[in-house]
Amino acid sequence: MFTNYIKIAWRNLIRNKAFSTINIVGLALGLATCLLICLYIFNELSYDRYSDKADRMVRVVFRGIMNGGQINEANVMPPVAQTIKAEYPEVEQATRIRTVGSPTLNVGDKTFRDDQLAYADSNFFQVFSLPLLRGDVKTALIQPGTAVITQEMAQKLFGNENPVGKSIAIKSWNALFRVTGIIDKMPVNSHFHFDMFMAMAGEPDAKSPSWMTSGYFTYLVLPNGYDPARLEAKLPQMVNKYMSSQLQQAFGMSYAQFRQKGNDVSFLLQPLTDIHLRSNLTGELEPNADIQYVYIFGAIALFMLVIACINFMNLSTAGASKRAKEVGIRKVMGSVRQSLTSQFLIESLLLTAIALTLAVGLVYLTLPLFNKLAGKALVLNFSASPWLLPGLLLLGVIVGVLAGSYPAFFLSSFKPVQVLKGTKFTGDRKSIGLRSGLVVVQFFISITLMIGTTVVYKQLNYIQTKRLGYEKDQVLVLPETWLLDKKEEVFRSQIMQDPRVVNVSTSGYLPAGPSYNNNYMVYPETNSTQLVKSLRYEIDYNYIPTLGMQMAYGRNFSKAYGTDSSGIIINETAARTFGWNGNALGRTITHTENDGRKGTYRVVGVIKDFHFRSMHEAISPLVMMLGRNSGTVIVKINTKDISGLLASLKKQWEQLTSEAPFTYSFLDERFNNTYLAEQKTGQILGIFAGLTIFVACLGLFGLATFMAEQRTKEIGVRKVLGASVPNIVGLLSKDFLKLVAVAIVLASPVAWYAMNKWLADFAYKIDIEWWMFVVSGVLAVGIALLTVSFQSIRAALMNPVKSLKTE
């Protein structure tokens, strides 16, 4: 019996090539999209789960409130790990890492640059379950001056030699590190990636008792089944016990007074597996993803499957008249409804199996492109993921049954007396209403995605074109110029002599991309008890003109004023926060240094606000001080001969040092990289929105074909009676366009709500305007009209003599 079902299903598939092709292509695209997105989602959800302790590990993060401003930082103070471990016996292990920038490494006479270096506590590899390929995991990082490197880095530095026991020099630190262990490369799905881990015992501030400095990423291991909230509730006691005296010394007030003024400091515990998708704190080790995008792409995968299934259901029920006589004869010959239902379900499963096979092929073909677009390294590997094949088969069965259930029950319900009378079966009002509803659902999903894509692209364009308060174009950034030591000023002078160069500044504080970052707690003179958190930039005389920044009032630093060493420039936001809006010149701020000394600085100018962080964050108070901050040279250029200029700069660099290769970046590229995640999301969203519309139109095309066939005789009669081609096209198109119009009305408020939620994550954003809905609606109507019109025009142009002969 089953073999017979398969044969009949195959014959019907071949007999109805057009409808079968539409169904298979639609289902294949839906399944391929679903599979691609599932690979992406599973990859995102797998972050930091490689450790066997992952489910009971937490990261300690810092949260503070200073004068109404919030501080949310991913790293904490040096003594936090040791203190928590000593104070709370339920904590099984505590470990720390601290990043160190990108120094130049020397092995013999060879020089290498690497920006993936960190100090780590001796138990780090045990806590994170990272086995060593060589060396002892328990002792590798106990002694100062020891290091563990990755296999890839070992190959780069030492070739095929055994690196254990060999030395790596960092001349700029005057330090030598002995390799004591080798690990494989860090797991791809980790929230940090380092090539070299150095013993924390050799880090200068690792044993500092200071609760006023931070920079240490601290992780705890808790017992099985232990609720982190229980430990978190105890941490305020630690703050009161250990931080109060240092707070009083730094801020000149008791901890109780500090809190009475609305200020607060606290530590929170963040599950390790939440970091990648649910953390966006200041100072993250690497840019994180966003759980919102996982939800968005998950919804798209579901939408694509729904649209493909709707196509199948619509086309199967719409083409019922072609199967009605077959059903009638089968019933007369003794077939029961159950066997007919099984027949139609097997046809659905056969078609789904073909579509699933095609979908897997599509995924193999498109995965490299998707990886490039999403910045991932996803693979479709059935042997590496044993769950994948059973999961795909289960998905195929679910889709086949869901898509085929209604058509199967619908077709098997025909009464043989009615269908064998020869009356043309067109379906009852209920089935026509269902088909109409399903078309509305398809276009509702498609239009929602179209509006969403429009908003995403407009927001990204707004970010790219918004006035930033500085000039990012034709600005070169030359890092690590501190390697030149005393020759750094010579290099800078040589650059200034080039006619293609407009200006040069030396400062590691950059408004886009990775930058030096110093928090600065100050008291405005007008209120000695008002503590304000600001950001501090150390700049030179040329910094402001080099980056094209504008003064609101006052002046830039100048060599003509000997007192500028104690002068400051603040931004407009700082002036407003301090209560000095419009009259900040000559005012002073007070800052308590780390050694307890108090410094007083006088305002010489107010600079117009500029964006020095992502547009997800509002501009915060900024204090600029005159300082000799070597390490990065910023070059404003004005030339089309950029390659020639870079060649000249490289030659000058190589004449001054052989310590490290010449490297550079452009400020506009650093700015664009800040929004790389949003750009990739916008591109992927646009592609998937296009695919959903295409699949929806496939179904609409099939329905239009069927409707034209059903009304062939009617069209012939109308043409004989004088109806024109436009009349016929309008007649066949208007019903579909009504459904698209209903979809537009339903989709608009849903899209408005969803995109407002997405935009809420940006401090600076566009307004969602009426024309975005109009453009998406007109586009949807146009696409639907083109899809339907092809068949409508073909039917309208048919010779009425042939039409009237149609049975």
Side-chain angles (χ1 to χ4, degrees), residues 36-44 293 297 370 374 376 378:
L36 271 175
I37 291 177
C38 284
L39 289 174
Y40 169 82
I41 290 175
F42 290 147
N43 177 264
E44 291 292 285
Y293 294 138
F297 289 129
F370 183 82
K376 294 289 183 181
L378 308 178

Side-chain angles (χ1 to χ4, degrees), residues 331-380:
K331 284 196 171 184
V332 168
M333 298 297 292
S335 288
V336 295
R337 184 171 183 179
Q338 184 179 356
S339 64
L340 288 170
T341 303
S342 300
Q343 169 67 55
F344 294 128
L345 279 175
I346 286 175
E347 287 184 20
S348 172
L349 289 169
L350 176 63
L351 192 143
T352 304
I354 296 170
L356 185 60
T357 305
L358 183 59
V360 172
L362 284 172
V363 170
Y364 272 116
L365 288 174
T366 57
L367 198 53
L369 179 62
F370 183 82
N371 281 334
K372 184 178 180 181
L373 197 61
K376 294 289 183 181
L378 308 178
V379 291
L380 185 63

Side-chain angles (χ1 to χ4, degrees), residues 271-304:
L272 178 70
T273 52
D274 281 358
I275 292 174
H276 178 65
L277 290 174
R278 292 181 171 88
S279 181
N280 189 26
L281 304 175
T282 302
E284 292 282 3
L285 286 167
E286 292 180 8
N288 288 326
D290 192 331
I291 190 66
Q292 282 191 21
Y293 294 138
V294 172
Y295 295 147
I296 288 170
F297 289 129
I300 289 172
L302 181 62
F303 290 163
M304 281 292 286

Side-chain angles (χ1 to χ4, degrees), residues 640-679:
K640 293 181 179 179
D641 183 26
I642 294 175
S643 58
L645 175 61
L646 290 173
S648 174
L649 294 177
K650 182 180 180 181
K651 183 178 179 180
Q652 293 169 20
W653 174 274
E654 291 173 345
Q655 288 173 347
L656 295 172
T657 183
S658 58
E659 290 286 319
F662 172 76
T663 58
Y664 67 91
S665 63
F666 288 95
L667 194 62
D668 57 347
E669 292 175 351
R670 296 165 69 95
F671 174 83
N672 291 336
N673 288 339
T674 305
Y675 304 98
L676 204 55
E678 284 86 359
Q679 290 168 6

Side-chain angles (χ1 to χ4, degrees), residues 118-125 132 136-144 146-148 178 180-181 197-202:
Y119 282 105
D121 278 325
S122 59
N123 63 345
F124 174 80
F125 297 110
L132 298 191
D136 187 342
V137 71
K138 296 180 180 178
T139 61
L141 291 181
I142 288 180
Q143 297 297 323
T146 56
V148 173
R178 179 171 53 87
T180 53
F197 296 89
M198 300 164 291
M200 186 70 79

